Coordinates of all heavy atoms in Angstrom, one line a residue:
A1285 N 139.7 151.8 88.3 CA 140.6 152.7 89.0 C 141.1 152.0 90.3 O 142.3 152.2 90.7 CB 139.9 154.0 89.4
I1286 N 140.3 151.1 90.9 CA 140.6 150.5 92.1 C 141.5 149.2 91.9 O 142.5 149.0 92.5 CB 139.4 150.1 92.9 CG1 138.7 151.3 93.5 CG2 139.7 149.1 94.1 CD1 137.3 151.1 94.0
Y1287 N 141.0 148.4 90.9 CA 141.6 147.1 90.7 C 142.7 147.1 89.6 O 143.7 146.3 89.7 CB 140.5 146.1 90.4 CG 141.0 144.7 90.2 CD1 141.3 143.9 91.4 CD2 141.2 144.1 89.0 CE1 141.8 142.6 91.2 CE2 141.7 142.8 88.8 CZ 142.0 142.0 90.0 OH 142.4 140.7 89.9
G1288 N 142.5 147.8 88.6 CA 143.4 147.8 87.4 C 142.5 147.7 86.1 O 141.3 147.5 86.2
S1289 N 143.1 147.8 85.0 CA 142.4 147.9 83.7 C 141.6 146.7 83.4 O 140.7 146.8 82.5 CB 143.4 148.2 82.6 OG 144.4 147.2 82.5
N1290 N 141.9 145.5 84.0 CA 141.1 144.3 83.6 C 140.0 144.0 84.7 O 139.5 142.9 84.7 CB 142.0 143.1 83.5 CG 142.7 142.7 84.8 OD1 142.9 143.6 85.6 ND2 143.1 141.5 84.9
G1291 N 139.7 145.0 85.5 CA 138.7 144.7 86.6 C 137.3 144.3 86.0 O 136.8 143.3 86.4
T1292 N 136.8 145.1 85.0 CA 135.5 144.8 84.5 C 135.6 143.5 83.7 O 134.6 142.7 83.6 CB 135.0 145.9 83.6 OG1 136.0 146.3 82.7 CG2 134.6 147.1 84.5
T1293 N 136.7 143.2 83.0 CA 136.9 142.0 82.3 C 136.7 140.8 83.2 O 136.1 139.8 82.8 CB 138.2 141.9 81.6 OG1 138.4 143.1 80.8 CG2 138.4 140.7 80.7
Q1294 N 137.3 140.9 84.4 CA 137.1 139.8 85.4 C 135.7 139.5 85.7 O 135.2 138.4 85.7 CB 137.9 140.2 86.7 CG 139.4 140.1 86.6 CD 139.9 138.7 86.9 OE1 139.9 137.9 86.1 NE2 140.3 138.6 88.1
L1295 N 134.9 140.6 85.9 CA 133.5 140.5 86.3 C 132.7 139.9 85.2 O 131.9 139.0 85.5 CB 132.9 141.9 86.7 CG 132.9 142.2 88.2 CD1 134.3 142.1 88.8 CD2 132.3 143.6 88.4
Y1296 N 132.9 140.3 84.0 CA 132.0 139.9 82.9 C 132.5 138.5 82.4 O 131.8 137.9 81.5 CB 132.0 140.9 81.8 CG 131.3 142.2 82.2 CD1 131.8 143.4 81.8 CD2 130.1 142.1 83.0 CE1 131.1 144.6 82.2 CE2 129.5 143.2 83.4 CZ 130.0 144.5 83.0 OH 129.3 145.6 83.4
S1297 N 133.6 137.9 83.0 CA 133.9 136.6 82.6 C 133.5 135.6 83.7 O 133.8 134.4 83.7 CB 135.5 136.5 82.5 OG 136.1 136.8 83.7
G1298 N 132.7 136.1 84.6 CA 132.0 135.2 85.6 C 132.8 135.1 86.9 O 132.5 134.3 87.7
N1299 N 133.7 136.1 87.2 CA 134.4 136.1 88.4 C 134.2 137.4 89.2 O 134.0 138.4 88.6 CB 136.0 135.9 88.2 CG 136.3 134.6 87.5 OD1 136.0 133.6 88.0 ND2 137.0 134.8 86.3
D1300 N 134.1 137.3 90.5 CA 134.1 138.5 91.3 C 135.5 139.0 91.6 O 136.5 138.3 91.3 CB 133.3 138.4 92.6 CG 134.0 137.5 93.6 OD1 134.9 136.7 93.2 OD2 133.6 137.6 94.8
V1301 N 135.7 140.2 92.0 CA 137.0 140.8 92.3 C 137.0 141.1 93.8 O 136.1 141.7 94.3 CB 137.2 142.1 91.5 CG1 138.3 142.9 92.0 CG2 137.5 141.7 90.0
D1302 N 138.1 140.6 94.5 CA 138.3 140.9 95.9 C 139.7 141.5 96.0 O 140.7 140.9 95.7 CB 138.2 139.6 96.7 CG 137.5 139.8 98.0 OD1 136.9 140.8 98.2 OD2 137.6 138.9 98.8
T1303 N 139.7 142.8 96.5 CA 141.0 143.4 96.5 C 141.0 144.5 97.6 O 140.1 144.6 98.4 CB 141.4 144.1 95.2 OG1 142.7 144.5 95.2 CG2 140.4 145.2 94.9
H1304 N 142.1 145.2 97.7 CA 142.2 146.3 98.7 C 142.5 147.6 98.0 O 143.0 147.6 96.8 CB 143.2 146.0 99.8 CG 144.7 146.2 99.3 ND1 145.3 145.3 98.6 CD2 145.5 147.3 99.5 CE1 146.5 145.7 98.3 NE2 146.7 146.9 98.8
Y1305 N 142.3 148.7 98.6 CA 142.5 150.0 98.0 C 143.0 150.9 99.1 O 142.6 150.8 100.3 CB 141.2 150.5 97.4 CG 141.4 151.8 96.6 CD1 142.2 151.8 95.4 CD2 140.9 153.0 97.0 CE1 142.4 153.0 94.7 CE2 141.0 154.2 96.3 CZ 141.8 154.1 95.1 OH 142.0 155.3 94.4
E1306 N 143.9 151.8 98.8 CA 144.5 152.7 99.8 C 144.5 154.1 99.3 O 144.8 154.4 98.1 CB 145.9 152.2 100.0 CG 146.7 152.9 101.1 CD 148.0 152.2 101.5 OE1 148.0 151.1 101.9 OE2 149.0 152.9 101.3
I1307 N 144.3 155.0 100.2 CA 144.3 156.5 99.9 C 145.3 157.1 100.9 O 145.2 156.9 102.1 CB 143.0 157.1 100.0 CG1 142.0 156.5 99.1 CG2 143.1 158.6 99.7 CD1 140.5 157.0 99.3
R1308 N 146.2 157.9 100.4 CA 147.2 158.6 101.3 C 147.1 160.1 101.0 O 147.8 160.6 100.1 CB 148.6 158.1 101.1 CG 148.8 156.7 101.6 CD 150.3 156.4 101.7 NE 150.6 155.2 102.4 CZ 151.8 154.8 102.8 NH1 152.8 155.6 102.5 NH2 152.0 153.7 103.4
P1309 N 146.2 160.8 101.6 CA 146.1 162.3 101.4 C 147.3 163.1 101.8 O 147.5 164.2 101.3 CB 144.8 162.7 102.1 CG 144.5 161.5 103.1 CD 145.2 160.3 102.6
S1310 N 148.0 162.5 102.8 CA 149.2 163.2 103.2 C 150.2 162.1 103.8 O 149.8 161.0 103.9 CB 148.9 164.2 104.3 OG 148.5 163.6 105.5
R1311 N 151.4 162.5 104.1 CA 152.4 161.6 104.6 C 151.9 160.9 105.9 O 152.3 159.8 106.2 CB 153.7 162.2 104.8 CG 154.5 162.6 103.5 CD 155.9 163.1 103.8 NE 156.6 163.4 102.6 CZ 157.9 163.8 102.6 NH1 158.5 164.0 103.7 NH2 158.5 164.0 101.5
S1312 N 151.2 161.6 106.7 CA 150.8 161.1 108.0 C 149.4 160.5 108.0 O 149.0 159.9 109.0 CB 150.8 162.3 109.0 OG 149.9 163.3 108.6

Side-chain angles (χ1 to χ4, degrees):
I1286 291 170
Y1287 184 79
S1289 58
N1290 66 333
T1292 50
T1293 304
Q1294 287 271 84
L1295 262 56
Y1296 292 140
S1297 63
N1299 299 303
D1300 69 341
V1301 164
D1302 218 14
T1303 188
H1304 75 281
Y1305 187 67
E1306 186 173 298
I1307 303 172
R1308 289 195 172 190
S1310 69
R1311 287 187 178 183
S1312 61

